[in-house]
Amino acid sequence: LTVPGAALIGCAAGFLNVPKIKGTHTAMKSGILAAEATFDAIQNSLTESDFDTRLRESWVYNELRAVRNYKPSFEYAGLYGGAIYSGISAYLLKGREPWTFQGKGHRDSETTAPATKVKSITYPKPDGKISFPLLENLARSAVDHIDQPSHLHIKPELKSLVSGKTAKSLTEFAAPERNFCPAGVYEYVEDNDGDPNLIINAQNCIHCKCCSIKMPYEYIDWTVPAGGGGPNYSLT
C-alpha cells in the first residue's frame, strides 16, 4: 500500500465494503493510520512507513476480508450464483472461507454492450406522481454550475468516437450517454452538413459519474467542478 513518497488509502485502494455499499468509515480510518505511520516515520528518520502493517492489524482489514469474495463471486457464478454464494458467505461462512476469488480485472466500460446485443426499452411517460419529467427532476436537484468552466471534456485522442456519421458511440452503441444521463447533459446535434456531434451541457451535471465509468472506451474526462459544488436536494 506504500511506495516512496505516497500511500494508497480509501477508495484509491478499493476499501469499499461492497454488501454495505459504504466506504467512508474505512477511508477515514485508513487515512488516520497512514497519517500516524507517516508521522512516526518522519519522527524516527525512517525511509518507509509501516502503514501496511498497521492497516492489517486494524478493524478495517478484518471487515474487508470478511466480504472479499462478494463481488468476485458474481463474476464467476453470474447473478443468481453470486447472490446465493454471497448469502452463504454472509450468514454461514462469515468470510472465514479459506479461499479468495480473484476478480477478472475488466473495466466497467468494457461491459457496455453494443446496441445490436440488447433490446430497446420503451419507458412509460412520467405520471407526475411517482415519476417526473427529466427537467423537473433536474430543477429539484438545485445543481449550480453557472459561470463555471466545463468539468466534462472529451479526451482529445478519442474525439472521433463522438463526431460525424461514423461516431462509434452513436452508430455502435446507440448513444448510451444520451440515454442513461439523469440530467440531460449529453445530446447529439446535427451540424450544417447533417453530421451528428456530441454537445455537453455540463451545467446540468448532478455528479453521478456514470458517463466516466460506463461509456465505451472511457472517452469522457470527468474532472472536479470549480468550487466542488453539486446537487443540493432539500425536503419539501
Side-chain angles (χ1 to χ4, degrees):
L1 293 173
T2 61
V3 295
L8 292 175
I9 63 176
C11 293
F15 292 158
L16 172 72
N17 186 318
V18 173
K20 292 184 178 180
I21 321 179
K22 296 184 182 297
T24 302
H25 61 308
T26 54
M28 292 175 64
K29 182 60 176 179
S30 63
I32 292 171
L33 293 173
E36 292 174 344
T38 302
F39 179 81
D40 289 344
I42 294 174
Q43 289 292 96
N44 294 287
S45 301
L46 301 176
T47 58
E48 187 175 348
S49 76
D50 61 345
F51 168 54
D52 192 280
T53 300
R54 296 188 188 211
L55 186 84
R56 290 176 180 275
E57 294 175 350
S58 73
W59 57 261
V60 173
Y61 181 83
N62 295 330
E63 178 179 322
L64 296 181
R65 179 170 174 76
V67 298
R68 68 190 184 280
N69 284 325
Y70 276 60
K71 188 175 185 298
S73 70
F74 284 87
E75 296 187 29
Y76 283 96
L79 176 60
Y80 298 111
I84 293 172
Y85 178 87
S86 296
I88 294 174
S89 179
Y91 295 103
L92 296 178
L93 302 175
K94 297 185 183 300
R96 293 190 295 267
E97 53 264 43
W99 56 83
T100 298
F101 296 143
Q102 299 296 322
K104 297 180 181 179
H106 65 265
R107 297 187 178 190
D108 286 338
S109 61
E110 295 173 1
T111 63
T112 301
T116 55
K117 294 185 178 181
V118 296
K119 293 182 179 180
S120 178
I121 301 175
T122 301
Y123 294 98
K125 293 183 178 180
D127 59 15
K129 297 179 180 179
I130 61 173
S131 59
F132 303 89
L134 184 149
L135 293 180
E136 185 174 334
N137 283 332
L138 178 60
R140 293 176 186 273
S141 73
V143 67
D144 183 11
H145 292 305
I146 303 300
D147 297 326
Q148 292 182 4
S150 175
H151 64 286
L152 301 171
H153 307 276
I154 301 172
K155 296 176 182 177
E157 67 275 16
L158 299 177
K159 283 189 175 181
S160 62
L161 297 177
V162 295
S163 300
K165 292 184 175 64
T166 59
K168 286 188 176 182
S169 177
L170 187 60
T171 59
E172 293 185 20
F173 296 91
E177 70 277 65
R178 180 179 59 189
N179 296 321
F180 63 56
C181 180
V185 170
Y186 301 97
E187 59 178 331
Y188 279 88
V189 177
E190 293 186 356
D191 59 20
N192 294 332
D193 297 324
D195 293 334
N197 289 288
L198 182 66
I199 301 299
I200 301 179
N201 303 303
Q203 70 277 6
N204 292 2
C205 181
I206 58 173
H207 303 189
C208 72
K209 287 193 105 261
C210 188
C211 60
S212 173
I213 298 170
K214 288 294 292 180
M215 280 310 303
Y217 312 104
E218 297 182 341
Y219 73 77
I220 292 293
D221 184 12
W222 202 106
T223 59
V224 179
N232 188 26
Y233 292 101
S234 60
L235 296 176
T236 56

